[in-house]
């Protein structure tokens, strides 16, 4: 029987997660200062508004699938229900890929209408179109990251979503902004860094799934119903927060100015720094809870 050293596992992964947060602080904060100064309040405000729109859309089509991985993967791993893991991961990946690509294509079609009703965004036509890629990239990144979290591969997840993504983003942003590419250059840096992180996370999760033994047992209807019910609850519970999370950006952009949104973006980033450290323990510990009952 395998002995589970939970304190050691929790401490080691939490420590690595802390290192990732410190790296994000050391690199990310100076980068945000540089970006804010290079773009100016107006361009930064436009980016913040677009980012808020991406976050809103991503939340609406997430369907609670990523949290479902964190809930059920550790449980299925403990019970050696490998076919259930494969079905859960691939079905969710298919749903999110199709829905996000449909939304991305719909955004291209709706872009003229958006610019007509929001004249301030007309000069950012190419930037808006490029930033639309953040919808499928962000959704799939979060899903794959939560899959690795369900496998309790915190180190691999942190390397991809913190060290690798931020390093690529910082290098490209400094290069492209120094070449005078302004907002389009920064969005390009963000999108390309997400592509690199997505590949890293995807390869990591694929390796974990391929390393599992093959079994012929299939997930029965009661298991699928449990997945569906949990995803439904998580999705329903997140809708209110999704709809209100970026409302301040939209209201300030509507009633004040785009530049004011840029100032708000800087303030909110500073405000979120303590929260980043408070989330450290929860991120590591949460997958351990469903695993514990599975082994009594």
């Amino acid at each position: 029987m395998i002995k589970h050293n939970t304190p050691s596992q929790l401490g080691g992964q939490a420590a690595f997660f802390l290192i990732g947060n410190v790296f994000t602080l050391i690199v990310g904060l100076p980068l945000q200062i540089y970006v804010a100064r290079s773009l100016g309040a107006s361009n930064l405000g436009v980016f913040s508004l677009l980012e808020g729109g991406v976050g809103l859309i991503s939340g609406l089509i997430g369907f609670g699938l990523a949290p479902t991985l964190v809930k059920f993967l550790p449980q299925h791993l403990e019970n050696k229900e490998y076919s259930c893991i494969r079905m859960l991961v691939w079905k969710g990946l298919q749903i999110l890929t199709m829905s996000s690509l449909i939304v991305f294509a719909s955004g291209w079609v709706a872009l003229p209408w958006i610019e007509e009703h929001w004249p301030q965004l007309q000069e950012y036509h190419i930037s808006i179109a490029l930033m639309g890629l953040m919808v499928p990239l962000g959704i799939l990144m979060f899903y794959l990251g939560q899959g690795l979290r369900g496998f309790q591969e915190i180190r691999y997840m942190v390397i991809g979503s913190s060290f690798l993504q931020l390093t690529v983003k910082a290098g490209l942003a400094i290069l492209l902004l120094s070449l005078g590419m302004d907002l389009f250059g920064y969005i390009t840096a963000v999108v390309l860094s997400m592509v690199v992180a997505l590949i890293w996370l995807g390869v990591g999760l694929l390796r974990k799934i391929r390393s599992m033994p093959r079994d012929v047992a299939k997930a029965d209807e009661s298991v699928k119903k449990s997945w569906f019910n949990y995803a439904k609850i998580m999705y329903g519970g997140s809708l209110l927060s999704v709809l209100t999370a970026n409302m301040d950006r939209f209201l300030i952009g509507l009633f004040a100015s785009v530049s004011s949104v840029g100032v708000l973006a800087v303030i909110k980033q500073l405000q979120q720094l303590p929260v980043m450290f408070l989330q450290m323990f929860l991120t590591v510990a949460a997958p351990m809870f469903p695993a514990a009952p599975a082994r009594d």
Side-chain angles (χ1 to χ4, degrees), residues 127-147:
S127 297
I128 295 173
L130 178 62
M131 200 157 181
L133 288 171
M134 290 178 63
V135 173
L137 290 174
I139 288 178
L140 295 179
M141 267 187 61
F142 182 64
Y143 182 78
L144 295 175
Q146 295 308 292

Side-chain angles (χ1 to χ4, degrees), residues 3-294:
K3 293 183 178 180
H4 296 269
N5 192 339
T6 301
S8 175
Q9 183 181 12
L10 180 61
Q13 293 188 356
F16 195 85
F17 201 84
L18 174 62
I19 294 173
N21 283 346
V22 171
F23 176 81
T24 300
L25 178 63
I26 293 174
V27 177
L29 185 58
L31 175 64
Q32 290 303 320
I33 295 173
Y34 174 78
V35 169
R37 290 189 173 190
S38 300
L39 293 181
S42 180
N43 281 338
L44 187 61
V46 171
F47 179 83
S48 183
L49 285 172
L50 296 176
E51 186 180 43
V54 169
L56 174 61
I57 295 171
S58 300
L60 291 176
I61 62 174
F63 306 126
L65 295 175
T68 304
L69 293 183
V70 182
K71 163 65 175 174
F72 287 100
L73 286 189
Q75 176 182 325
H76 291 317
L77 281 170
E78 290 293 339
N79 294 329
K80 297 180 173 56
E81 297 167 340
Y82 303 118
S83 61
C84 292
I85 294 175
R86 291 187 175 92
M87 178 177 292
L88 177 59
V89 171
W90 293 128
K91 287 294 183 182
L93 190 61
Q94 291 170 6
I95 292 172
L96 292 180
T97 300
M98 290 300 298
S99 60
S100 61
L101 290 179
I102 290 173
V103 168
F104 174 68
S106 301
W108 272 82
V109 175
L111 188 55
W113 181 87
I114 296 173
E115 294 174 346
E116 179 182 351
H117 290 79
W118 206 327
Q120 292 174 304
L121 299 179
Q122 288 181 357
E123 60 180 296
Y124 302 102
H125 180 89
I126 299 178
S127 297
I128 295 173
L130 178 62
M131 200 157 181
L133 288 171
M134 290 178 63
V135 173
L137 290 174
I139 288 178
L140 295 179
M141 267 187 61
F142 182 64
Y143 182 78
L144 295 175
Q146 295 308 292
L148 288 168
R149 186 180 165 203
F151 278 101
Q152 300 183 42
E153 285 289 342
I154 302 297
R155 292 178 179 85
Y156 195 95
M157 183 189 75
V158 171
I159 290 174
S161 59
S162 180
F163 293 101
L164 183 60
Q165 182 182 3
L166 185 55
T167 300
V168 174
K169 176 183 172 181
L172 288 176
I174 293 173
L175 172 63
L176 298 178
L177 289 175
S178 65
L179 294 176
M181 296 182 67
D182 296 328
L183 180 60
F184 178 75
Y186 181 61
I187 293 175
T188 301
V190 173
V191 169
L192 290 179
S193 68
M194 293 177 72
V195 171
V196 172
L198 179 66
I199 294 173
W200 173 271
L201 296 173
V203 170
L205 187 57
L206 180 62
R207 285 178 175 175
K208 292 299 297 184
I209 292 176
R210 285 184 172 178
S211 67
M212 296 186 307
R214 289 285 178 181
D215 59 347
V216 295
K218 301 296 182 181
D220 57 34
E221 292 302 319
S222 63
V223 173
K224 295 178 184 178
K225 186 176 180 180
S226 298
W227 298 342
F228 176 78
N229 288 337
Y230 187 81
K232 182 174 61 175
I233 292 172
M234 295 302 295
Y235 179 60
S238 68
L239 281 180
L240 181 60
S241 61
V242 166
L243 294 172
T244 59
N246 297 302
M247 191 61 66
D248 50 359
R249 307 187 195 192
F250 301 136
L251 291 175
I252 291 177
L254 183 62
F255 293 106
S257 65
V258 175
S259 299
S260 299
V261 179
V263 176
L264 174 69
V266 175
I267 295 173
K268 291 188 72 172
Q269 286 169 353
L270 295 174
Q271 179 192 23
Q272 290 170 358
L273 288 178
V275 180
M276 178 177 66
F277 290 95
L278 292 174
Q279 289 291 330
M280 177 183 67
F281 178 80
L282 180 61
T283 300
V284 176
M288 297 182 179
F289 285 101

